[in-house]
Amino acid sequence: MNISALQKARYAYNPKLPKILSGKIEDISVELGSPTESISNRSELRVIFKNTYGKPYVTFVKGKNGKLKRKLIVGVILSGGQAPGGHNVIAGLFDGLKKGHPESVLYGFRGGPSGLINNKTLILTSEIIDEYRNTGGFDIIGSGRTKIETPEQFASSLETVKKLNMDAVVVIGGDDSNTNAALLAEYFLANGSKTQVIGCPKTIDGDLKNDHIEASFGFDTACKTYSELIGNICRDTNSAKKYWHFIKLMGRAASHIALECAFQTQPNICLISEEVEAQGTSLEKIVEQICESIAKRAANGDNFGVVLIPEGLVEFVPEMKKMIEELNDAIAAEEKPFSEVTNLIDQMYWLSSRIPESSYIILQSLPPEIARQFLMDRDPHGNVQVSRIDTEKLVVGMVEKRLAEMKVGGHYSGVFSYQTHFFGYEGRCAIPSNFDADYCYSLGYSAFVLIASGLTGYISSVKNLTAGAENWIAGGVPLTMMMDIEHRHGARKPVIKKALVNLNGKPFKTFAAKRGIWAQQTCFLFPGAIQYYGPSEVCDQPTITLKLENEK
Ligand code: FBP
């Protein structure tokens, strides 16, 4: 196989492990904390998770553990969107298993959770694993967004693990996939199966975090990749001084990615969806705020700049959120008839009697191409696919219109030329940064220790992430501890809540204190490409968000 020099060098990279995991395998013991409780709705969750609710928090400590040298059969699933480092979770799990017992077997379920339902597997050998160490992507076994939810899907999953005589399944995924992991763990136990289930916190969106899970993997690399590109654009616009760049950044709901990229590049404007929602800011008002910055900079002779827009913004703008919810309900109620209406004019006519007038007027006011995007297929959870909505184009169109009005009124005298960009897929499969390579390998290795110790219904946890890998604290968090109940599709469902940007948290407050200056002056930073080799202060730094969150 032809490989690049960097890829070759990355194959040889030895991920750093927390001290407790880098010694002899039989010296890793499990320390149990006191029993835990879910976030709220405790009595309801106690009934749903009869066998797995309220387990103690687990920390790995030095001590003899006879259980770790057992032969085990384990399966692993990559679930949801790609995130840099997934291959290293699998490599860490594989190495742990083989250290425990050379005859242990690791199956990869192909194509995500559907691989478990349909028993589609690949036995992962050291030859296969070695080809994927420290690489980006999920291509080793593929991923998928199937949700295990029907009784038949649970029964088929059980049949698969029985057939394979599987001791454990590791689910590498985000909030929904880890909710699924918790339900599977419960289902297996309730049905007398020995198969344990362990989750692993993945998503570039960075919204699977809490007091015990400091970060989801992939966020670090994705943000650094986008920041390199944004920094390059900042430098380009600072050189040519002729464009405003409107950049949409991935992150289905939370604005963590936009916020981290703002820290790394200091753009003129960075919108934060959570703030927009909290303040009930309309799209018109957002446009007004952007135009204000453009006009002020133009008055200084700076007809250029950079605006960051989080992908999920439209779902946080009150009137758009209402419109999306009403569209979702109308489409979900008559999915088939709606799918048969193919062109926009007919779709609009179909919707005119099915959604309230206020939302219909908004939909009608959108540029046709963007209105069409709001009507495209929903994801498996019934949500509009925000990655397919050109929010950056919608905003820039409104900005252009408003600036023209301001010009007539004598409130703006600049020249406005723009470019739009969307950075999303560019970052999800990047070669993992050292941080993600180390973190993911540690998460995989920890998952092995949890399995070998006989635990189920846990998510692999590695904390103290700003202290250097050697000082990281590894263990497991009971999945039910992260649970709450939400109303979804007319029913009360257990969920792991998404962690949105906390407007009272240190990262947002730090940003809010600086953005006024960025909006008027040119304060760009140029972070450059991720560095894999060189001094630790260049190569091993975690995100600024994580540093701020971990500052006491
Ligand atoms: P996960 O939550 O599954 O990690 O996926 C996140 C994400 O990358 C979002 O940022 C984005 O909106 C979405 O996936 C895109 O999904 P798809 O890959 O299906 O286009």
Side-chain angles (χ1 to χ4, degrees), residues 79-81 145 202-205 250-252 311 385-387 425 428:
S79 182
R145 288 196 183 277
K202 169 237 74 165
T203 176
I204 61 159
D205 293 2
M250 239 184 200
R252 232 213 80 75
E311 182 184 62
Q385 298 187 56
V386 281
S387 61
Y425 300 96
R428 294 201 315 184

Side-chain angles (χ1 to χ4, degrees), residues 211-430:
D211 290 347
H212 302 280
I213 305 294
E214 292 179 5
S216 57
F217 78 76
F219 176 70
D220 185 271
T221 311
C223 287
K224 285 173 179 162
T225 306
Y226 302 141
S227 296
E228 179 204 351
L229 301 175
I230 298 164
N232 293 349
I233 286 175
C234 288
R235 194 134 233 176
D236 191 287
T237 201
N238 199 28
S239 309
K241 302 196 192 299
K242 66 175 185 184
Y243 292 127
W244 272 86
H245 291 267
F246 285 70
I247 306 170
K248 182 176 84 166
L249 288 165
M250 239 184 200
R252 232 213 80 75
S255 309
H256 297 296
I257 292 179
L259 184 56
E260 174 62 22
C261 292
F263 286 131
Q264 293 193 27
T265 60
Q266 302 192 170
N268 302 100
I269 295 165
C270 173
L271 301 174
I272 301 294
S273 306
E274 292 81 345
E275 185 185 27
V276 166
E277 183 171 57
Q279 298 187 350
T281 317
S282 65
L283 198 54
E284 213 173 295
K285 182 83 189 135
I286 293 171
V287 168
E288 196 64 43
Q289 288 164 355
I290 296 173
C291 290
E292 209 176 290
S293 164
I294 294 176
K296 280 195 179 139
R297 284 178 60 77
N300 294 333
D302 294 336
N303 287 299
F304 65 93
V306 172
V307 181
L308 303 186
I309 302 172
E311 182 184 62
L313 179 72
V314 286
E315 290 197 303
F316 289 77
V317 175
E319 71 275 13
M320 305 292 280
K321 181 180 178 186
K322 186 168 162 286
M323 179 192 76
I324 291 170
E325 282 169 1
E326 286 165 359
L327 281 175
N328 286 351
D329 288 349
I331 294 171
E334 293 175 80
E335 217 168 324
K336 189 148 189 299
F338 182 73
S339 69
E340 284 158 7
V341 188
T342 46
N343 71 67
L344 183 62
I345 296 174
D346 293 343
Q347 285 176 326
M348 291 299 288
Y349 179 72
W350 191 91
L351 285 164
S352 62
S353 57
R354 289 174 172 88
I355 59 170
E357 199 186 350
S358 54
S359 290
Y360 187 75
I361 291 172
I362 296 174
L363 189 65
Q364 215 178 18
S365 72
L366 299 174
E369 186 49 31
I370 292 176
R372 208 184 53 77
Q373 291 164 358
F374 276 97
L375 305 180
M376 284 191 299
D377 292 345
R378 274 36 193 166
D379 72 8
H381 305 279
N383 299 315
V384 70
Q385 298 187 56
V386 281
S387 61
R388 301 176 73 186
I389 295 177
D390 294 334
T391 314
E392 70 287 11
K393 292 190 180 137
L394 174 65
V395 171
V396 91
M398 291 175 74
V399 163
E400 200 174 26
K401 208 165 143 227
R402 179 69 193 124
L403 287 174
E405 289 166 7
M406 286 167 68
K407 213 166 215 175
V408 174
H411 303 295
Y412 170 63
S413 55
V415 182
F416 181 68
S417 296
Y418 67 84
Q419 298 284 349
T420 56
H421 315 261
F422 168 36
F423 297 149
Y425 300 96
E426 294 81 349
R428 294 201 315 184
C429 284

Side-chain angles (χ1 to χ4, degrees), residues 62-73:
K62 208 168 162 44
K64 288 283 165 229
N65 186 348
K67 290 180 173 170
L68 294 199
K69 302 221 80 172
R70 289 186 295 139
K71 178 181 168 190
L72 292 164
I73 301 174

Side-chain angles (χ1 to χ4, degrees), residues 98-117:
K98 293 291 180 183
K99 260 196 189 168
H101 197 291
E103 284 170 29
S104 286
V105 179
L106 181 60
Y107 284 93
F109 287 108
R110 289 177 185 270
S114 62
L116 172 64
I117 299 170

